Amino acid sequence: MKRRNVFKILISILFLILIGWGIIVYQIIDIKSKADFYGSVYEREALSFTLTDQNGSKVSLSDFKDKVVLLFFGYTHCPDVCPMTLSIMNNVVEELGDQADQVQVLFITIDPQRDTVAKLKSYIPYYNESFIGLTGTPEEIDKVADDYNIFYSKEEVESVSGYLMGHNSSVLLITPDGEIFLRYTQNRMDPVSIAGDIKRIL
Amino acid sequence: MGKTIIALILFFVLAQFSFAQDNIVISDAWVREVPPGTSMSAGYMTIENKAKNDDKLIGISSDVAESAELHISKVDENGVATMEMIKILDLPSGEAIELKPGGMHIMLIGLKESLVGKDSVRLNLNFEKSGEVKVEAPVKSSRSPTGGHNH
Ligand SMILES: [Cu+2]
């Protein structure tokens, strides 16, 4: 009888060790699979927001609950980095083929003073009809940029262009379950690789 | 014999002059097509100084924009993109400088007309030693990252 108990305890210990091993192995595999993404793993909660789109309608992040959202901040007077990013986003969507309708590209202006609803209307759909441009009051934009850790500032440069904006130009990938999972900085903007990440998530 | 030598010297001297026109070589020039109503765009190209002397790009103009400036986009380690103006661009002898998206670019400020449907844009580059160089830069669609796929 006593021997049987010892045997039971030993089996239990062995079982626990196996579970422990399982967890460790699982975590290693999990980390490895995360490292396989092209974008850098960010993993932060995507806080909700409501802003106005290029048609004057209110749009919230929760409107895209079953989609992967590609979110980035910019301004229409930006001549180099923003058009480049928008065209890359267009390439990503093209690359996704029939999965394209499961992705939503959102562009939030950090220059609401000049980027009105009408301005966004003439600007955003040019790159892709499905893209949504968002504006709001300076306070609303401030809040969203802050929530998403996006720095921006007006730069008075010695240029005749009036003012330019310095801004975080990264693209954030938000999963259908509301997590900012990946981040793409300007040196990681290959459309095929970004589309590859999205295909893995979908 | 003496005449031959003079002729040869003359030939090389003249050859020098004819090559002098090719001091500044511009290649792969293009301007980004932007949505109608947009006031800004950017132009890109490679500028090579094939002269024996150093040169400087001191001014740019274009008839489609109120003004044109040389800028450089910079992205810091936090992902923050800013632009800086380059007033004078040094072009050392024998070097080529590439203007490309996300880097150095000719910023076209205050577009006077829409670039959509335009084949090309004239850019006038003013060099300290080589003088004015006119570039006919094709307009390429903004819907692709490097400006290709313009159907
Ligand atoms: Cu610029």
Side-chain angles (χ1 to χ4, degrees), chain A residues 14-24:
Chain A
L14 208 72
F15 194 61
L16 283 172
I17 288 171
L18 274 173
I19 288 174
W21 265 71
I23 289 168
I24 289 164

Side-chain angles (χ1 to χ4, degrees), chain A residues 80-119:
Chain A
D80 185 42
V81 169
C82 305
M84 188 172 78
T85 310
L86 279 161
S87 37
I88 289 165
M89 290 305 107
N90 178 53
N91 286 74
V92 170
V93 168
E94 278 177 354
E95 190 63 35
L96 285 167
D98 47 353
Q99 283 180 301
D101 57 348
Q102 294 176 63
V103 170
Q104 180 61 54
V105 173
L106 298 180
F107 171 98
I108 299 180
T109 181
I110 39 92
D111 186 15
Q113 194 183 324
R114 292 185 294 191
D115 289 341
T116 57
V117 168
K119 181 76 219 179

Side-chain angles (χ1 to χ4, degrees), chain A residues 119-167:
Chain A
K119 181 76 219 179
L120 291 178
K121 178 85 180 163
S122 69
Y123 190 81
I124 295 298
Y126 163 87
Y127 292 94
N128 190 303
E129 291 287 335
S130 77
F131 289 3
I132 295 176
L134 297 169
T135 187
T137 63
E139 294 74 29
E140 284 171 329
I141 297 296
D142 249 0
K143 170 88 168 58
V144 182
D146 197 47
D147 281 348
Y148 281 78
N149 233 325
I150 297 295
F151 168 84
Y152 70 96
S153 71
K154 205 184 254 194
E155 313 230 325
E156 303 287 348
V157 281
E158 212 185 319
S159 156
V160 292
S161 55
Y163 64 90
L164 298 167
M165 304 293 295
H167 64 101

